[in-house]
Structures are given as C-alpha cells and as structure tokens.
Amino acid sequence: MSQNLKFLVVDDFSTMRRIIRNLLKELGFTNVDEAEDGVAGLAKLRGGDFDFVISDWNMPNMTGIELLRAIRADAALKHLPVLMVTAEAKKENIIEAAQAGASGYVVKPFTAATLDEKLGKILQKQGVSQ
Amino acid sequence: MSDFGGMEELLQDFLTEANELLSDVDNKLLDLEKRPDDAKLLNDIFRGFHTIKGGAGFLNVDELVKLCHLTESLFDRLRNRELRLSAELLDVILSATMCVREMFGALERSVLPHPADADILTALQNALDGNQSAPAAATEAAAPAVTAAPATAATQPTTVADGEPDWQLLYDGLLGREHVAAAPASEPGAAAAAPVHEVVPHREPGRRAIDQPEAEGARAGRRDTDKVVVAQETTIRIDTNRLDQVLNLSGEIGLAKNRLNCLRTDILSGKTDTETLRALDEATSHLDLLVSDLQNAVMKTRMQPIGRLFQKYPRVARDMARQLGKTIDLVLEGEDTELDKTMIEELGDPLIHLIRNAVDHGLESPAERRAAGKSETAMVKLSAQQVGDHIRLSITDDGRGMRPDVLKQKALQKGLIDADTAANMDDRHALQLVFMPGFSTKEQVSNFSGRGVGMDVVKTNIQKLNGRIDIKSVVGEGTTFTISLPLTLAILPVLVVRIGQQSFAVPLSLVREIITIRPDEVQEVSGRATLLVRDEALQIRSLAGLLGWRQEIPPAYGVLMQTTVNSFILAVDGFVGRDDVVIKPLEDIKPKGIAGATLSGDGSVVLVLDMEQLLADPPIEKRNELFDMAA
C-alpha cells in the first residue's frame, strides 16, 4: 500500500484529530493534515493535492455529510476516497452516507487494525494501492 | 507498541478540550432554561455530549461514554421535538453535567471514574423513555440503570453481534447497488423509531482481541498508581500563528547574531573605521528591536482569553442563586480580553468568591427587590477590559449596596477596630473593612471552590499577582469590585533608583511622578519630614530608612508613590532610568522588602523592591535626620 498518501483528517475535536493522526502514523501514514470543520476541510482540499479524506460526521458550520456532498459535487475532488467516522451505527446515517457517496464508514472508537482494514478495502476498490 | 502508550498525554489533551466543551455546554444549558425551544442550542448541546463521548470511547472510559450517550440521546430526542424540556428534566441534565465534571476530576487524577449515580442514570433513562409506551423498551431500559456497571458488559456482546456486522453488510450492500437503498429508506420512520441506545456498539469486535492485553494493563496501572498524578494545566494551547512569529523572530535574531560575529572579527583584527562602527551600531539596535519583539511574542504565547475562565461562572452563579432562592442573570463582558495563563488560573478562586459574595450578600431576595421596585431577576456582571498596560476586571451587582455605617459597626463588634478609628473613618475606607482578616461572617465551606475563603484572602491573592482591588458601592443600587492587574507577571516595568552605589527597582505601576527635593522646602509636620506638592502634604520616606540603612547624604530626588492606601514621597540618592525586568527570586535568603533580583544592562545586580512589605512598618523620619547631616 502506498505509504505516502496525503490524508486530510476533518474533525472539530482536536483530540480526535490527534487520535486519528496517531492511528494513521501507526499504519505508516505520516503525511497528514487536519481541518476543524467541513468549511476549513473543503478549503484545504481545494488548495492541496490530497489523496484521502477521513471526516467526522457531527461538526459545526459544515457537517461531514455536507462536506462529502460538496466533494462529490466538485469536479476536481469527486474522485477522492472519503471515509466517514461516526459515533453510532444508525441505519439512517449509513444510508445517508452511502447515498451521498461515502467510500466507507467507521464507528468510533476504532483501532488501528480496524482503520487499516477499512482503508485497505477502499484503496483496493479505488485501485490506488500498488 | 502503539501511540496509545502515550495515553497520559492524550488524556491531558482530551481533558483540556473536553473541559472547555463542558463549560460551554453548561452555559448553553442555562440559555436553554430561558429559550427551551432554541433549535441551535439543542443541537450544540447534543454535539457537545456527542464529542465528549467520542473521545471518551477512544480512552476506554466506559462510564463516561455511557453517561454522555444517555444525555446525548436525550438531546437527540429533544432536538427532534420528540420530547419537551421541563424544569425537572433540565435539573436532571444539569446534574448529569455535574457528574461528567466529576468524572473529569477522576481522570485528572488518572483514575477511571466510578459509574454515574444510579439515580441520575435512571432519571435520564426515564426521561428518554418518556414517550415510549412499548413495555419491552421500558424493561430493557430499566436494566442498565439499576445495575449500572455490569449492564454494559452484559448488553455489549449482543449489541455488537446484532448491530455492527449487520450495519456493515447493509452498508456494503448499499455501496454495491443503489437500489438496495430504496427499501430501508422508505420504511416510514422505522430507523428513527428504533431505540437509539440499543444499537450503539461500544467497541468493534476486533478491538478486544487486539488491544486487550495492553488496554487492561494500562487500566490496571492507572487505577493502582494514584501517585501518577497528572498535574493539570501544565500544558497550553497556542495559536500556531503566534508560535510562527516566535520562530520567525528567533530566526532573525540568529541572523543578527551572525552579523555581530562578523563585525567582532573585523574589530578584533583592528578594523575600526567609521563604516564598521556604524554597522556595529546598526546591528546592535536591530538586535535590540528584535529581542524586545521576541519578548513580546513569547509573552503572547502565554496569553489566553479570560473567557475560558468566565464561562465557568454562569453555572456556579445560577446554582448558588437557586440554593438561596434568588434568580439572577450573570452577564459576561470582554471575554476576549487576554491575560497571562498563570494569572487566569490564580484568578479562579478569587473571582468565584466575589461572585458568591455578590449573590449571597450583595443581592436581595426577590421579595425585597420587588418591594424596592427592582426587577426580581437580579443582575451580576463580570467584565474584563484592557486599559493601557493593565487589565481591569469588575464584578458588578445591582443589589442592596454596602452601608459604611453597618460595616463599621460590624468591625467594631468583632474588635477589629476601635471606636476612635471608626468615628474618624471615611466611607471609602469603611468599605475596605471587608478585606480585613476576620471580617467575613460566614465562614461557610463553598460547594463550588471547595473551601471557604474570606475577602482578605481574595485581596491577598490579587496582591500576589501585583494587582489591586477596589470597591465602589451605592446603597440601594449595587456594588462594584474592580481588580486591576498587570498584563503579565513575567516582565515587570520598573523605575531603577540608587542609594549610594546600589541600584533598586521600584514597580513602575506605583510611581506617579518624579520630583527634585530641595532641602529648604522640606517641612516637619507632626514630627515627620513632609513636602508640599501642589498643595498636597506628602510625607517623605527615605528608601534607606525603609531598608534599615543609614541615609549618608541628603536625598536629592523623590519618587511620588501611589499605593492603595496612601501617597508618599520615596526619597533616593539618584536615578538610573526605567527598565523592563525579569525578576529572579532570591534563593534561601529573604531580606525584608526585597522581592528578588535582576541584572542591569552593565551586568550589575539590581534589587527589586516589594513595596508592600517595605511599608509594613515604616520608621518615623524627622526632617533633620534626613537633611541636616554634617556632610
């Protein structure tokens, strides 16, 4: 798997961004940037060449699902894999995420192993892995 | 193996951030009391609990996850208009946030928190079930509430087994074929009606197997070793822009240093032409500028908005007022005002005490307020603003005000002052009586700060911060306590004066002006050397005398000092100038009236004066002792 993928972690809770960053580091991904909500996330995505987005669901200003829709609606970004992070496995959430075009879905709390598995699946599907 | 080995540090970050979130939630809850239908408030509070829960999950703090989850679910139903907020429900929620705070307290001591009070959990669960009539849901719901801790373990395997793989399958299905989505989505309200608490997997199946040994180990360790106390607030969050500025400046200082090195080589090898010297002069001034910029920038990294402190108080004030049967509105102003982090921490207790004092003593009961033609809801305002190089905090209430005669009476009764003093005391000084040790009547132990402190302690604490506290009060209209503080404790602006060859630094905040003393203008009033400055008779006190030294030559200069109590002229031999100094405390020795030492530009030691200590027991100096020596 390509270890120099550039990640964007979007979460309004900085502790959570740090947790995800640490988990990614554990998996060998060190090229990680952060954004504190959907608005900041979208701005960063438009400004830099990111390969992967991991976004929280519940955020002020612009929620994760709104960010996902914005990414899918943007010609330059719509190919990006987006992994949605959420605290519950609620049926309507999963349906909403899937319909909006999420590449995957992970429930908090999760381990590096779980994250690895989710990333692996998504990257495989995307054909990004080498 | 994992970065979770650095759990303590993560825990710290979590606590710092979660504490802020919780304070914010607390304040929004108070707003909610006034506007129970505000959708944005409901949503924000929901998100607050949700976020705390998410973080707690990663830290394996199951009890916190459970409590936050229940509360969050409640807010989910509230914001979806499935439940209505009643006064009782708000009380339950407020006690839940109190409980969350207690859990944070345990985490701060690196101890896993106890389960939440069963009553609170039951109350939350009952509220959550309020509109659910299905008996199955009710019994299922009652279980976790009664047998708090084991319940999680018992229900967990089933939820994980029932829930998680199911969702994953569904999700994979949805991703594969769009049309699958149509079926579940069209189930009218099915998803929404499913009890939320049933489907929360606390962990994914993989987690136990992989992380168990380490997680359990870490947990056992944390529980046993109470000595691993996490010192709270040893970390600080800094705007990256400010750090960048520091980095930038230190880089530029590096360049300036290189330039100076070059010039030194030139000069040492005998190159001392005008050009070189001018370059040296320029480089030194440039370095001067950069260093003071750097000092400012570093100081700024310690500055925090006082709002972080303020936001804890509306809840404290409300709880306090409720206990006393009063209703109040705590108004906050100037939350963006920035103050040194240490000072913000040190201000916590004094401010709580002042607020408590205002609510308890300052404000009348609703009946009294009505009788006085005031609105029943009293107002307490907490404000902060920067005034020049000072920060001014004020606590204002619109209560009954303080009556100087009553205060004097009380001080008399307690034997703090005698009848003569009382009779001669003006109103302004009478108000100051509340700061006398032993004046406070009720030495009650506070629910909020944990210990009962008197107003004298408030004053002492403020003075330790080089600050001042003043009172203004109008009977029937209210009282204002004003606290002035320097911006930072790190750098102290001083006036450097001289006695003989020794330099002393006087805090500039106390200096009103500098005058020349002409011995023939000095008079003697009631046995004390006195000088008339613009019709104001000011006593002269020589610095030498205050220090217990002998005045060798008649002092030529006077510093007009203004303290909280009085004004006087500090007589010295000469001036060096004004300076910004960093005080180094003296180790092991503690000379009277000396706060510490600092180095002057030429490398000599300057002693920084502690004026308050110095003035504690001033000698009486006659005119001739100071000015008529045979020199």
Side-chain angles (χ1 to χ4, degrees), chain A residues 59-81:
Chain A
M59 291 180 293
N61 302 326
M62 186 192 227
T63 64
I65 197 82
E66 285 162 0
L67 172 66
L68 175 59
R69 292 201 182 103
I71 290 172
R72 293 294 174 246
D74 187 316
L77 301 174
K78 67 176 180 198
H79 65 281
L80 275 176

Side-chain angles (χ1 to χ4, degrees), chain A residues 16-125:
Chain A
M16 193 58 64
R17 295 199 297 270
R18 193 169 146 198
I19 290 171
I20 295 174
R21 193 192 262 271
N22 284 347
L23 291 174
L24 285 171
K25 201 168 100 194
E26 226 174 285
L27 299 175
F29 297 107
T30 49
N31 194 358
V32 180
D33 200 353
E34 301 176 9
E36 62 183 22
D37 61 28
V39 176
L42 200 58
K44 284 213 167 168
L45 287 173
R46 286 185 174 140
D49 47 345
F50 287 92
D51 304 304
F52 207 113
V53 182
I54 299 181
S55 176
D56 185 35
W57 192 292
N58 254 298
M59 291 180 293
N61 302 326
M62 186 192 227
T63 64
I65 197 82
E66 285 162 0
L67 172 66
L68 175 59
R69 292 201 182 103
I71 290 172
R72 293 294 174 246
D74 187 316
L77 301 174
K78 67 176 180 198
H79 65 281
L80 275 176
V82 181
L83 177 66
M84 296 297 293
V85 179
T86 182
E88 24 262 310
K90 271 201 259 182
K91 199 192 269 178
E92 64 266 41
N93 281 7
I94 293 177
I95 293 163
E96 208 181 351
Q99 285 176 337
S103 320
Y105 183 94
V106 61
V107 180
K108 284 189 269 195
F110 50 84
T111 60
T114 313
L115 186 62
D116 194 26
E117 183 199 322
K118 302 268 177 189
L119 293 180
K121 259 193 205 162
I122 296 169
L123 293 174
Q124 207 173 14
K125 230 180 265 180

Side-chain angles (χ1 to χ4, degrees), chain B residues 52-69:
Chain B
I52 294 172
K53 182 182 84 176
F58 275 98
L59 291 162
N60 293 324
V61 193
D62 295 343
E63 295 304 335
L64 185 54
V65 171
K66 191 158 109 193
L67 181 60
C68 286
H69 179 66

Side-chain angles (χ1 to χ4, degrees), chain B residues 425-455:
Chain B
M425 190 174 272
D426 62 24
D427 286 357
R428 205 177 133 243
H429 280 92
L431 294 183
Q432 300 280 334
L433 284 171
V434 299
F435 292 124
M436 284 184 87
F439 186 87
S440 301
T441 37
K442 296 183 193 168
E443 269 311 321
Q444 82 263 58
V445 172
S446 152
N447 287 336
F448 313 111
S449 62
R451 60 199 148 105
V453 291
M455 291 293 259

